[in-house]
């Protein structure tokens, strides 16, 4: 095995490539989805992919086709649907992986095979159990094989940031010689620090003779909270692609957050003079969608997309803001698509007297285009909410629509719920569901009102799934705020996330559980007749 030290860094900086456009490669649907509990079904992946295209990302990594049929179908369906965005599939350095990936991408108008192999001493010895020379050979073979199937091939050196420099240079040179058009150097375990990780790119650009024939790419994990800083350092040293995820979703501490990278490039253009094709006004929509689908709530103080990112609580700050927004705001909320106004563009305030047209227009402004049936159902729920809640915020509308989308086909529909709660009597839930169109009702007790509701659902729809997560969060401030509940159900090796929103936390809990159960049912029906709701 090669034993050259990784600290050999003859290069510090070399002249940067003249083109300052940075390619945004989003891997929410692949590296993000690998995060435990973040799995998405096909319909959900398609919804995320559509929003990513609207956001303007250049490349969407849609999955790892050999890993599962679900991943294969997702890459294939997303590839068939998207027209502007390049769709990438991941493949190990093996022919069967690459063939499966090419097969999944066959219908895509712009397609990329992304193949990778580990190059660090630790990974080669323990994970691959392959000598370095064999890995080097696999690099050339896999890229050449992929390049015979598609024109756009990305090669990644897994654990690249902990790879010996001499060996990394040889691998990169071999990958480019074999036809790789993008070279990605991941900081797989989030170990790098900005100066060191950035210098790696200057080192490659100085030492690899054919380096000008490929775009260099950064891919950083956030184990030390440095993923975005490391990615930006890579860009300053000549990388022109960044791999990232919405909300920084990803294994362990996650990947570099797309919204943070893009807004740093935009807000500090004076020091980071690079451009992207991202329509930043769609950032909030993408963030909310990914959070809603995965059930991964965005922490309130998360940069750019956290609920407090543009909130000003202290008197001194509020006073400054009133005098000049620039005193405490380095970017506008509108620039990331945060429109908090309760009024629409014509100044119409949404409330219980609003008509369908104002409602439809507001939804369209927020990026939701629903068919007539969708508008009917959501409008009905909006009116119910407006009766209970004084002010309706955009977040309320978004929660309602997210709760509504995709439920029309559900086998199990929520009809009504009555709950007896409090400290005196045993808690009890009376529940009515429509199962495949047939109304069924039951009553059940439990250890608390939520337990009683879930027991009632189980009585109507017997199942073995375990409750993996039950989470409640308020959509807006105030005691009349809607509750958004996330429920994760786990069944054998599968897990699904359901969400429900309502101004009554118990109704939202019931909706979320029923939503998750529907998703589980769809999964099961695909494979075998289901005993659910027998
Ligand atoms: O983190 C990593 O090394 C990866 C590669 C597969 C690109 O995700
Ligand atoms: Zn990764």
């Amino acid at each position: 095995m090669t034993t050259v030290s990784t600290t050999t860094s003859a290069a510090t900086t070399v002249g940067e490539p003249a083109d300052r456009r940075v390619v945004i490669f989003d891997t929410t649907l692949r590296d993000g989805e690998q995060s435990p509990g973040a799995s998405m079904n096909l319909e959900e992946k398609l919804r995320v992919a559509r929003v990513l295209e609207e956001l303007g990302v250049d490349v969407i990594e849609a999955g790892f086709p050999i890993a599962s049929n679900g991943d294969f179908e997702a890459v294939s369906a997303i590839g068939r649907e998207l027209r502007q965005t390049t769709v990438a599939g991941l493949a190990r350095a093996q022919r069967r992986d690459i063939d499966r990936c090419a097969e999944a991408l066959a219908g895509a108008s712009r397609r990329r095979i992304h193949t990778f192999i580990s190059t660090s001493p630790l990974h080669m010895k323990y994970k691959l159990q392959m000598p370095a020379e064999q890995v080097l050979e696999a690099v050339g073979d896999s890229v050449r094989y992929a390049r015979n199937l598609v024109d756009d091939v990305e090669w990644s050196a897994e654990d690249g940031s902990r790879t010996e420099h001499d060996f990394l240079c040889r691998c990169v040179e071999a990958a480019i010689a074999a036809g790789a058009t993008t070279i990605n150097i991941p900081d797989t375990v989030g170990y790098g620090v900005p100066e060191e990780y950035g210098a790696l790119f200057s080192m490659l650009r100085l030492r690899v003779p054919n380096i000008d024939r490929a775009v260099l790419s950064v891919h950083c994990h956030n184990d030390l909270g440095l993923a975005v800083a490391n990615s930006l350092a890579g860009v300053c040293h000549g990388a022109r692609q960044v791999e990232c995820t919405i909300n920084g979703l990803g294994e362990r501490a996650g990947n570099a957050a797309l919204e943070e990278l893009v807004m740093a490039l935009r807000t500090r253009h004076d020091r980071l003079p690079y451009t992207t094709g991202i329509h930043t006004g769609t950032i909030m929509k993408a963030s909310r969608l990914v959070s809603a689908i995965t059930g991964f709530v965005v922490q309130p103080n998360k940069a750019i997309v956290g609920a407090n990112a543009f909130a000003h609580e202290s008197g001194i700050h509020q006073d400054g803001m009133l005098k000049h927004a620039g005193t405490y705001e380095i970017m506008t909320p509108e620039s990331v698509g945060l429109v908090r106004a309760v009024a629409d563009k014509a100044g119409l305030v949404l409330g219980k007297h609003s008509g369908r047209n104002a409602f439809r227009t507001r939804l369209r402004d927020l990026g939701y285009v629903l068919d007539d049936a969708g508008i009917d159902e959501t409008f009905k729920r909006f009116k119910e909410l407006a009766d209970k809640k004084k002010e309706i915020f955009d977040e309320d509308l978004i929660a309602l629509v997210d709760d509504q989308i995709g439920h029309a086909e559900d086998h199990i529909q929520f009809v009504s719920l009555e709950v007896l709660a409090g400290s005196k009597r045993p808690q009890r839930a009376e529940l009515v569901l429509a199962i495949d169109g047939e109304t069924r009702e039951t009553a059940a007790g439990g250890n608390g009102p939520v337990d009683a509701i879930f027991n009632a659902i189980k009585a109507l729809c017997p199942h073995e799934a375990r409750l993996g997560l039950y989470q409640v969060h308020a959509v807006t401030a105030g005691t009349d705020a809607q509750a958004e509940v996330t429920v994760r159900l786990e069944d054998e090796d599968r897990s699904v996330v359901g969400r429900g929103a309502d101004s009554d936390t118990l109704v939202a809990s019931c909706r979320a559980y029923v939503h998750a159960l529907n998703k589980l049912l769809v999964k099961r029906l695909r494979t075998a007749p289901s005993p659910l709701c027998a």
Side-chain angles (χ1 to χ4, degrees):
M1 185 178 296
T2 323
T3 53
V4 177
S5 160
T6 55
T7 54
T8 340
S9 187
T12 47
T13 49
V14 284
E16 280 188 65
D19 189 353
R20 302 242 162 170
R21 167 70 156 81
V22 174
V23 172
I24 300 294
F25 176 115
D26 182 281
T27 183
T28 305
L29 297 175
R30 199 279 299 170
D31 223 351
E33 210 232 2
Q34 273 172 224
S35 186
S39 64
M40 306 175 217
N41 64 28
L42 179 60
E43 190 45 47
E44 291 166 338
K45 286 184 184 177
L46 274 165
R47 281 173 64 197
V48 171
R50 287 177 198 128
V51 172
L52 290 175
E53 186 164 67
E54 187 185 329
L55 183 63
V57 311
D58 301 285
V59 187
I60 291 176
E61 187 164 52
F64 191 174
I66 194 101
S68 70
N69 287 340
D71 265 41
F72 180 90
E73 278 173 34
V75 173
S76 169
I78 292 168
R80 281 196 307 272
E81 181 165 324
L82 301 190
R83 286 290 158 258
Q84 308 300 325
T85 318
T86 297
V87 177
L90 187 67
R92 286 168 301 187
Q94 292 171 13
R95 290 188 172 199
R96 61 191 188 96
D97 273 45
I98 296 170
D99 282 335
R100 189 82 175 131
C101 190
E103 201 187 326
L105 289 167
S109 40
R110 296 166 197 245
R111 52 177 176 260
R112 172 181 295 187
I113 292 179
H114 176 193
T115 181
F116 73 100
I117 192 164
S118 292
T119 52
S120 69
L122 204 64
H123 275 224
M124 290 192 293
K125 183 170 178 189
Y126 294 103
K127 186 181 126 170
L128 298 178
Q129 300 184 341
M130 278 165 79
E133 293 308 316
Q134 200 182 330
V135 168
L136 183 62
E137 212 176 292
V139 172
D141 285 350
S142 55
V143 172
R144 210 169 298 109
Y145 189 74
R147 192 55 210 270
N148 278 331
L149 301 170
V150 296
D151 290 337
D152 186 348
V153 174
E154 172 170 336
W155 176 75
S156 283
E158 190 182 2
D159 207 17
S161 61
R162 293 195 299 171
T163 296
E164 294 158 340
H165 288 187
D166 284 357
F167 186 60
L168 188 62
C169 288
R170 289 172 70 203
C171 289
V172 169
E173 186 178 352
I176 297 174
T181 41
T182 301
I183 296 291
N184 184 38
I185 311 295
D187 184 26
T188 303
V189 290
Y191 181 73
V193 291
E195 203 185 86
E196 171 199 41
Y197 184 67
L200 200 52
F201 289 85
S202 284
M203 184 280 293
L204 289 172
R205 292 178 48 242
L206 199 72
R207 292 181 54 188
V208 176
N210 54 4
I211 200 79
D212 289 342
R213 285 165 35 196
V215 172
L216 290 180
S217 168
V218 295
H219 176 116
C220 297
H221 282 266
N222 206 29
D223 300 66
L224 292 174
L226 292 171
V228 170
N230 285 339
S231 302
L232 293 174
V235 170
C236 293
H237 283 262
R240 288 295 177 266
Q241 174 176 284
V242 287
E243 302 199 351
C244 45
T245 59
I246 301 291
N247 298 339
L249 194 69
E251 274 189 284
R252 308 187 308 278
N255 290 57
L258 180 148
E259 61 279 4
E260 294 177 20
L261 283 161
V262 168
M263 290 313 287
L265 293 179
R266 182 178 149 143
T267 309
R268 294 309 310 274
H269 196 70
D270 56 328
R271 300 305 298 249
L272 300 164
Y274 309 96
T275 58
T276 72
I278 295 296
H279 313 299
T280 60
T282 308
I283 283 178
M284 281 310 300
K285 183 175 174 187
S287 165
R288 283 176 179 136
L289 181 68
V290 169
S291 167
I293 285 178
T294 57
F296 277 51
V297 173
V298 174
Q299 75 189 59
N301 57 332
K302 159 94 176 60
I304 317 295
V305 292
N308 293 350
F310 293 92
H312 304 279
E313 277 288 316
S314 87
I316 296 175
H317 287 204
Q318 285 178 350
D319 180 54
M321 283 293 293
L322 289 172
K323 288 174 176 147
H324 190 289
T327 50
Y328 289 102
E329 239 168 44
I330 58 167
M331 55 204 153
T332 64
E334 291 77 19
S335 66
V336 299
L338 188 69
V339 191
R340 285 186 176 276
V342 288
D344 67 11
K345 279 183 191 141
L348 296 172
V349 176
L350 281 182
K352 63 181 186 179
H353 301 299
S354 300
R356 282 168 59 96
N357 255 349
F359 177 71
R360 190 194 286 266
T361 308
R362 187 76 205 120
L363 284 188
R364 196 174 305 127
D365 289 346
L366 291 170
Y368 293 95
V369 181
L370 270 61
D371 60 14
D372 284 345
I375 289 284
D376 283 349
E377 187 52 36
T378 328
F379 187 61
K380 196 171 120 222
R381 288 193 56 196
F382 160 71
K383 286 286 185 178
E384 285 163 12
L385 181 67
D387 266 340
K388 296 180 203 155
K389 196 169 183 288
K390 225 169 43 204
E391 290 177 305
I392 305 285
F393 293 89
D394 286 339
E395 284 85 346
D396 289 313
L397 296 186
I398 290 164
L400 271 188
V401 182
D402 284 343
D403 192 46
Q404 197 59 41
I405 288 177
H407 290 288
E409 309 284 303
D410 284 354
H411 290 270
I412 315 165
Q413 301 272 357
F414 170 83
V415 178
S416 68
L417 175 72
E418 293 286 323
V419 182
L420 198 68
S423 59
K424 286 193 180 150
R425 281 173 286 185
Q427 292 80 20
R428 190 175 161 76
E430 288 174 18
L431 175 66
V432 184
L433 297 177
I435 300 170
D436 286 328
E438 194 182 312
T439 305
R440 307 251 194 102
E441 53 183 284
T442 193
N447 193 9
V450 175
D451 193 41
I453 295 167
F454 292 177
N455 285 340
I457 298 174
K458 272 185 209 147
L460 291 177
C461 300
H463 59 276
E464 297 296 320
R466 293 171 306 278
L467 183 66
L469 173 84
Y470 170 73
Q471 189 173 264
V472 184
H473 104 273
V475 173
T476 57
T479 48
D480 63 351
Q482 281 195 94
E484 205 162 31
V485 176
T486 306
V487 161
R488 187 166 68 232
L489 291 181
E490 294 165 355
D491 180 15
E492 293 147 26
D493 57 339
R494 294 163 301 179
S495 91
V496 290
V497 171
R499 292 254 292 205
D502 201 279
S503 52
D504 184 319
T505 310
L506 296 176
V507 173
S509 305
C510 185
R511 285 185 184 278
Y513 198 110
V514 167
H515 181 211
L517 208 50
N518 274 304
K519 285 166 79 173
L520 206 60
L521 191 60
V522 168
K523 278 196 169 186
R524 275 201 186 176
L525 284 174
R526 281 210 184 118
T527 47
S530 171
L532 275 180
C533 309

